[in-house]
């Protein structure tokens, strides 16, 4: 391969080119989604740069404020600020829900647009101080009316999302996106400051050999989850035991699951009967991506994307990943009923 020539390729598929290509399939489209997405991309680049220099910039440490999760750190505050400003100034949003803000942001009338964005600006915050991968997760809905926006506009099932994605700040910065026609992964080329399509049409393997869960909670799990994890470790059908991988940062754990296959679980337990992860900006976007990649996402009771949240910070148990692995846990819950 001619590496020198490769370094100067001029036909690179940047994320903007990619979305413009997608958009050209809809002649009635006026470019609103492209503008919205370019503001999300700007937020991701900003946070990526802040994460990379966190130590240097003395950003690590408590910000001296507590949020609803009582865990807000400086980088979380900064990331939230960046995304809220980028999304409002895009002029394409009406309602924003952030993990960091107790109330939804209802955008002032002069800056309103047709989208609602739900997001966790910096997920996996307990990993910030030790340099482990963290990420931003987002989901996008469209407004279904032209009246005053309200919080109700985002209390909709996940299958109504028009797009979802995450950006992982890890050994490289990767943005994984679905607009409802498959899943594509873009890697930030720092020399260009552009996300380049590096993982086109991601498909999750039908079955994997990794399970990912916080086993420290095992004593509080219910029967089906306990049985499933037991099966992963001591299979009785002659298949090899699965490997356990758990970063404890949802974006990193889901990213690995998407690329390598397997299952990610954050089940309910006796202490947290609704699990830990948030429906709107963790469970829904990741479930949307999994389904688009050929996998499944299940709550222990139903398809995750069929949940209808009643509150913006609602939680749900979640089991997501390879189609066949999720089938197994579904069967255990069905048998338990
Ligand atoms: P964190 O508490 O570090 O912000 O919902 C947030 C989250 O991380 C997820 O990213 C992660 O999957 C999960 O919590 C980890 O929770 P446990 O520490 O309870 O395993």
């Amino acid at each position: 391969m001619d590496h020198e020539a490769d370094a100067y390729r001029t036909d690179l598929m940047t994320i903007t080119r990619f979305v413009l290509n997608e958009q050209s399939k809809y002649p009635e489209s006026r470019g609103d989604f492209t503008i919205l997405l370019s503001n999300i991309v700007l937020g991701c680049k900003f946070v990526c740069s802040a994460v990379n220099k966190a130590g240097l910039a003395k950003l690590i440490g408590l910000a001296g404020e507590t949020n609803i999760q009582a865990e807000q750190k400086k980088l979380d505050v900064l990331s939230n600020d960046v995304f809220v400003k980028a999304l409002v100034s895009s002029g394409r949003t009406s309602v924003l829900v952030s993990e960091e803000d107790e109330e939804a942001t209802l955008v002032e009338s002069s800056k309103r647009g047709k989208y609602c964005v739900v997001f966790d600006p910096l997920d996996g915050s307990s990993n910030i101080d030790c340099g482990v991968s963290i990420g931003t997760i987002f989901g996008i809905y469209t407004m279904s009316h032209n009246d005053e926006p309200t919080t109700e506009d985002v209390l909709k099932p996940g299958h109504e999302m028009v797009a979802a994605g995450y950006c992982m700040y890890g050994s490289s910065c990767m943005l994984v996106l679905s607009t409802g026609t498959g899943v594509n992964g873009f890697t930030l080329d720092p020399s260009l400051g552009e996300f380049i399509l590096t993982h086109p049409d991601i498909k999750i393997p039908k079955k994997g050999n990794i399970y990912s869960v916080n086993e420290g909670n095992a004593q509080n799990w219910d029967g089906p989850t306990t049985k499933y994890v037991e099966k992963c470790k001591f299979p009785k059908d002659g298949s090899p035991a699965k490997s356990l991988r758990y970063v404890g940062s949802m974006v990193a754990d889901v990213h690995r699951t998407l690329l390598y296959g397997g299952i990610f679980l954050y089940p309910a337990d006796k202490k947290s009967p609704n699990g830990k992860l948030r429906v709107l900006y963790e469970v829904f976007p990741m479930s949307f991506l999994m389904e688009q990649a050929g996998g499944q996402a299940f709550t222990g009771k139903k398809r995750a994307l069929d949940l209808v949240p009643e509150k913006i910070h609602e939680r749900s148990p979640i089991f997501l990943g390879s189609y066949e692995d999720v089938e197994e846990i579904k069967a255990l819950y069905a048998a338990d009923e």
Side-chain angles (χ1 to χ4, degrees):
M1 209 205 300
D2 184 347
H3 287 290
E4 208 169 321
D6 213 43
Y8 292 100
R9 276 180 57 187
T10 52
D11 60 347
L12 292 171
M13 182 59 82
T14 66
I15 195 161
T16 312
R17 280 182 180 167
F18 179 86
V19 174
L20 283 170
N21 278 355
E22 290 284 297
Q23 190 190 296
S24 63
K25 294 176 194 158
Y26 306 92
E28 71 285 0
S29 156
R30 292 175 31 237
D32 291 323
F33 186 79
T34 309
I35 293 172
L36 174 68
L37 190 75
S38 67
N39 280 275
I40 293 177
V41 166
L42 175 68
C44 294
K45 286 186 205 167
F46 193 107
V47 175
C48 178
S49 144
V51 167
N52 287 341
K53 5 181 232 236
L56 292 171
K58 293 198 170 56
L59 286 168
I60 287 173
L62 290 167
E65 291 171 28
T66 40
N67 71 341
I68 42 165
Q69 263 73 268
E71 63 196 12
Q72 201 170 37
K73 299 205 170 184
K74 280 183 181 172
L75 266 176
D76 306 43
V77 181
L78 179 68
S79 308
N80 190 41
D81 220 33
V82 165
F83 276 100
V84 171
K85 290 212 169 79
L87 291 168
V88 171
S89 67
S90 75
R92 302 298 185 277
T93 59
S94 285
V95 185
L96 306 178
V97 169
S98 165
E99 193 253 4
E100 299 294 333
D101 296 324
E102 197 158 352
E103 304 291 337
T105 301
L106 305 177
V107 178
E108 62 185 88
S109 57
S110 63
K111 294 189 173 139
R112 265 179 218 157
K114 68 178 188 191
Y115 294 104
C116 303
V117 183
V118 291
F119 60 102
D120 185 346
L122 204 57
D123 189 76
S125 48
S126 62
N127 284 306
I128 294 175
D129 292 358
C130 60
V132 168
S133 297
I134 44 184
T136 298
I137 310 173
F138 58 91
I140 303 174
Y141 290 101
T142 40
M143 287 284 287
S144 50
H145 57 83
N146 294 321
D147 303 334
E148 278 296 297
T150 69
T151 305
E152 300 293 312
D153 291 312
V154 289
L155 298 178
K156 295 178 185 168
H159 62 247
E160 288 189 24
M161 281 184 170
V162 292
Y166 61 79
C167 185
M168 186 174 72
Y169 312 110
S171 53
S172 57
C173 178
M174 240 195 112
L175 201 153
V176 174
L177 175 72
S178 175
T179 54
T181 52
V183 180
N184 290 282
F186 303 82
T187 306
L188 183 65
D189 178 339
S191 65
L192 293 173
E194 285 278 7
F195 281 97
I196 309 294
L197 180 64
T198 48
H199 296 63
D201 198 18
I202 298 173
K203 294 282 177 236
I204 183 168
K206 278 257 160 289
K207 193 170 173 60
N209 54 14
I210 298 174
Y211 72 105
S212 185
V213 65
N214 184 343
E215 279 209 75
N217 297 329
Q219 60 174 319
N220 292 317
W221 288 343
D222 62 15
T225 299
T226 306
K227 275 188 203 149
Y228 181 77
V229 173
E230 189 73 3
K231 255 179 97 181
C232 291
K233 297 201 269 197
F234 305 103
K236 296 212 169 76
D237 58 1
S239 58
K242 289 189 191 298
S243 292
L244 167 64
R245 297 280 184 274
Y246 189 67
V247 178
S249 180
M250 192 188 193
V251 174
D253 283 316
V254 170
H255 186 63
R256 182 200 54 249
T257 306
L258 192 62
L259 296 188
Y260 296 172
I263 188 163
F264 169 83
L265 310 75
Y266 209 112
D269 63 44
K270 280 183 213 138
K271 284 200 289 183
S272 319
N274 296 321
K276 176 182 183 189
L277 301 179
R278 309 285 171 161
V279 172
L280 271 182
Y281 40 79
E282 292 182 312
V283 169
F284 276 175
M286 295 312 204
S287 301
F288 188 92
L289 290 165
M290 277 298 159
E291 285 199 4
Q292 286 292 322
Q296 296 197 71
F298 176 63
T299 65
K301 292 199 170 101
K302 54 160 89 167
R303 175 188 177 210
L305 292 179
D306 287 343
L307 279 174
V308 186
E310 288 172 9
K311 289 181 287 181
I312 58 173
H313 296 295
E314 198 167 300
R315 302 171 196 261
S316 168
I318 186 71
F319 305 86
L320 53 77
S322 292
Y323 194 93
E324 288 178 17
D325 293 318
V326 179
E327 275 301 289
E328 277 185 36
I329 192 113
K330 281 166 86 176
L332 289 169
Y333 273 97
D336 197 53
E337 275 176 9

